[in-house]
């Protein structure tokens, strides 16, 4: 195909494109000489000297003359713009001379026309977009959408893992709190850990509420009256041991010792059993009371 016939074809295409759009337009309509795919191109991208372009469908390249030269060329029906008739031949010669100089340039990218085919669908080559317009191609958009879906799914999975981990940790903490005494009974070394957290636990499950001591006179004799209670911290009944009571002087030396036998031998799960004990004629220098559970 020579340049003159190419110019005539381009002129006819753009006249048809102009009429179809109801008036003058700024875009050119060009057709690939290899596969026949039609494109619209910005005249500014073609430039005043013409430009070599590449087909997005078959990758073929061809030279497109300047828009001014296309406008001055006669159509296939023999029409000619009279005002530009004298300069058309010289412009065509200039275009032929420029073609060889511009072959080494990087082919311009053009935008395919998105007119639907007779079956109402767009061909794959018609979906591609011009990189000069900053618009992503369909394949890039589909890949971005797939990446976005995968990222959203990954975030949802990570969030679900964190929620499950937090729930399992919370369940373990609640279980350790509610069954702390049973855990200490089975693992006595855990008592110090619970006590460091301010939780009351005792090896064996039994503990003594802090007793109160009062000194009274009964028939003119001094008597120390001590009131307290045994508590079972575990969820199972336990056998009750004896309670050892001791009185100490200011130096800490033990001055008096006696034992208290609970009113019953077994205490129910998480039960409480009060006790009262008295000691008559205590030494006058005792100032402190100590107590503990001992085997019979």
């Amino acid at each position: 195909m020579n340049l003159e016939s190419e110019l005539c074809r381009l002129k006819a295409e753009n006249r048809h494109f102009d009429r179809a759009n109801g008036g003058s337009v700024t875009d050119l309509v060009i057709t690939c000489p290899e596969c026949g795919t039609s494109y619209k191109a910005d005249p500014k991208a073609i430039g005043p000297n013409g430009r070599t372009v590449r087909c997005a469908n078959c990758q073929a390249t061809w030279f497109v003359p300047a828009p001014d030269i296309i406008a001055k060329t006669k159509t296939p029906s023999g029409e000619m713009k009279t005002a530009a008739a004298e300069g058309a031949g010289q412009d065509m010669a200039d275009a032929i001379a420029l073609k060889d100089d511009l072959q080494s340039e990087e082919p311009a990218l053009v935008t395919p026309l998105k007119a639907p085919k007779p079956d109402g669908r767009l061909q794959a080559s018609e979906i591609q977009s011009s990189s000069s317009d900053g618009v992503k191609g369909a394949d890039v958009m589909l890949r971005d959408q797939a990446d976005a879906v995968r990222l959203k799914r990954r975030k949802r999975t990570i969030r679900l893992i964190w929620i499950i981990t937090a729930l399992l940790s919370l369940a373990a903490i609640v279980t350790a709190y509610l069954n702390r005494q049973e855990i200490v009974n089975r693992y006595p070394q855990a008592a110090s850990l619970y006590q460091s957290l301010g939780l009351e636990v005792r090896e064996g499950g039994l503990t003594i509420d802090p007793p109160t001591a009062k000194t009274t006179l009964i028939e003119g004799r001094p008597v120390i009256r001590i009131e307290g209670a045994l508590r079972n911290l575990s969820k199972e009944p336990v056998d009750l041991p004896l309670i050892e009571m001791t009185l100490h002087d200011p130096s800490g030396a033990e001055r008096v010792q006696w034992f208290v036998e609970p009113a019953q031998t077994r205490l129910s799960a998480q039960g409480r059993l009060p006790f009262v004990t008295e000691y008559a004629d205590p030494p006058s220098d005792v100032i402190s009371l100590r107590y503990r559970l001992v085997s019979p």
Side-chain angles (χ1 to χ4, degrees):
M1 180 184 296
N2 57 42
L3 182 59
E4 183 176 359
S5 61
E6 175 70 9
L7 289 172
C8 292
R9 184 182 59 77
L10 292 173
K11 176 64 178 180
E13 288 180 352
N14 282 279
R15 284 174 59 83
H16 175 73
F17 183 72
D18 186 29
R19 289 195 299 271
N21 286 275
S24 177
V25 295
T26 59
D27 289 339
L28 297 176
V29 179
I30 60 178
T31 303
C32 175
E34 297 294 332
C35 65
T37 303
S38 295
Y39 297 88
K40 65 178 180 179
D42 188 349
K44 295 180 180 179
I46 301 302
N49 298 325
R51 185 74 182 265
T52 299
V53 298
R54 176 184 289 116
C55 178
N57 184 42
C58 66
Q59 306 301 315
T61 60
W62 74 98
F63 181 78
V64 178
D68 292 342
I69 297 177
I70 297 175
K72 295 175 184 178
T73 305
K74 64 180 181 179
T75 64
S77 62
E79 297 178 356
M80 176 74 75
K81 286 189 176 180
T82 58
E86 296 180 358
Q90 183 61 38
D91 290 337
M92 188 179 302
D94 294 341
I96 295 173
L98 287 170
K99 178 178 179 181
D100 295 335
D101 296 337
L102 296 174
Q103 288 295 330
S104 60
E105 291 187 6
E106 178 66 22
L109 297 176
V110 292
T111 304
L113 289 174
K114 294 178 175 57
K117 295 299 179 184
D119 61 356
R121 294 177 296 179
L122 296 178
Q123 299 298 320
S125 61
E126 297 173 336
I127 304 177
Q128 301 183 32
S129 301
S130 171
S131 60
S132 61
D133 295 334
V135 181
K136 294 182 178 179
D139 56 339
V140 177
M141 294 177 64
L142 291 175
R143 185 173 64 249
D144 290 347
Q145 291 176 0
D147 291 342
V149 171
R150 283 195 295 268
L151 180 60
K152 184 177 180 180
R153 188 178 304 160
R154 187 179 302 112
K155 288 182 178 180
R156 185 163 56 246
T157 302
I158 294 175
R159 184 162 55 248
L160 182 61
I161 292 174
W162 277 108
I163 292 175
I164 293 175
T165 302
L167 291 177
L168 291 176
S169 300
L170 180 61
I173 292 173
V174 172
T175 301
Y177 173 78
L178 296 178
N179 300 280
R180 59 188 182 278
Q181 188 56 57
E182 285 71 18
I183 294 175
V184 170
N185 291 344
R186 181 169 297 183
Y187 307 102
Q189 61 272 21
S192 59
L193 175 61
Y194 281 104
Q195 291 170 354
S196 66
L197 298 175
L199 300 176
E200 184 180 20
V201 289
R202 290 291 185 275
E203 185 177 350
L206 277 176
T207 184
I208 302 176
D209 288 343
T212 59
K214 296 181 179 179
T215 302
T216 61
L217 292 176
I218 299 177
E219 296 180 356
R221 300 172 58 189
V223 176
I224 295 180
R225 181 181 176 86
I226 301 171
E227 298 180 2
L230 292 170
R231 281 195 303 124
N232 182 9
L233 302 178
S234 66
K235 296 180 180 180
E236 297 178 357
V238 295
D239 295 331
L240 295 179
L242 298 177
I243 306 172
E244 180 188 45
M245 297 286 179
T246 55
L247 298 175
H248 299 260
D249 61 20
S251 65
E254 180 183 310
R255 300 293 305 278
V256 176
Q257 178 192 47
W258 77 99
F259 296 92
V260 179
E261 185 176 355
Q264 59 191 54
T265 60
R266 194 168 179 82
L267 186 58
S268 61
Q270 297 183 337
R272 184 174 183 275
L273 178 65
F275 67 87
V276 177
T277 181
E278 296 178 347
Y279 188 85
D281 297 325
S284 59
D285 58 346
V286 296
I287 62 170
S288 63
L289 170 69
R290 298 179 185 176
Y291 51 90
R292 62 173 183 150
L293 296 172
V294 295
S295 299

